[in-house]
Amino acid sequence: MTWEAKLIKHNSENRIAVYFEKNQDLIARIKQIEGARWSQQKTVWHLPDTEENRVRFNIAPPANSLPTSEGITQIEKFKQWMCSKRYSESTITTYSDALKSFLIFYREKPVAAITNEDVIIYNNEYILKNKLSSSYQNQIVHLVG
């Protein structure tokens, strides 16, 4: 069974369209995805444009959802340092993902120019605004503070 997924605008909303020949098994599977809807107008199944759905359907993340090449280099160095300290794979992933989120937020700023004040701004404008958990907040503060 072949399918194709691509980004579309539907009713002024960013969505992922999934094209495939009519197949009851595929229709049943796509209905299981949260937010999946059929568009009579476009004659296509479409889903919310989320990171999870982009991964599921092999669609590249938006350019502004990745750190700069400098940020990626720093994340790799951080992972190597954590490996050398014998942190668990799970801990390395958790902290690396937190660092990635922070560096995406400050994508336009050189890593060396990030200050403690920037950590406070990130806390207020990203963590608190998005109602992220206090454990995530603590990870960030300990990681970059």
Side-chain angles (χ1 to χ4, degrees):
M1 288 179 221
T2 60
W3 55 268
E4 179 188 0
K6 68 179 185 177
L7 299 173
I8 63 166
K9 277 265 196 224
H10 186 59
N11 296 333
S12 303
E13 190 179 338
N14 292 330
R15 305 284 289 175
I16 297 173
V18 183
Y19 301 91
F20 54 90
E21 286 187 34
K22 189 172 183 178
N23 175 297
Q24 293 306 317
D25 290 336
L26 289 178
I27 292 170
R29 286 176 58 191
I30 206 159
K31 283 182 176 181
Q32 298 296 314
I33 300 171
E34 187 175 334
R37 293 193 298 247
W38 172 255
S39 170
Q40 193 73 33
Q41 173 191 12
K42 296 183 185 275
T43 63
V44 68
W45 283 95
H46 57 96
L47 317 162
D49 181 9
T50 64
E51 182 178 347
E52 181 181 358
N53 286 337
R54 281 180 180 247
V55 169
R56 180 181 281 142
F57 291 99
N58 297 322
I59 295 176
N64 64 352
S65 70
L66 297 172
T68 61
S69 58
E70 177 194 18
I72 291 169
T73 300
Q74 293 303 319
I75 292 168
E76 288 306 313
K77 286 180 180 178
F78 178 66
K79 285 180 177 180
Q80 290 171 357
W81 176 83
M82 289 188 80
C83 282
S84 74
K85 298 293 182 184
R86 302 176 75 79
Y87 283 92
S88 74
E89 201 57 46
S90 172
T91 300
I92 293 170
T93 299
T94 299
Y95 277 79
S96 297
D97 287 348
L99 180 58
K100 177 182 172 187
S101 172
F102 180 78
L103 293 175
I104 289 169
F105 188 84
Y106 283 108
R107 179 169 173 64
E108 303 303 318
K109 194 170 196 174
V111 173
I114 294 173
T115 66
N116 287 340
E117 180 67 23
D118 292 322
V119 176
I120 294 167
I121 292 168
Y122 177 78
N123 182 56
N124 291 330
E125 294 182 14
Y126 183 77
I127 295 173
L128 297 176
K129 183 178 177 184
N130 291 300
K131 298 181 175 139
L132 300 175
S133 69
S134 59
S135 64
Y136 181 81
Q137 182 179 8
N138 288 334
Q139 288 170 2
I140 290 291
V141 171
H142 289 66
L143 179 65
V144 297

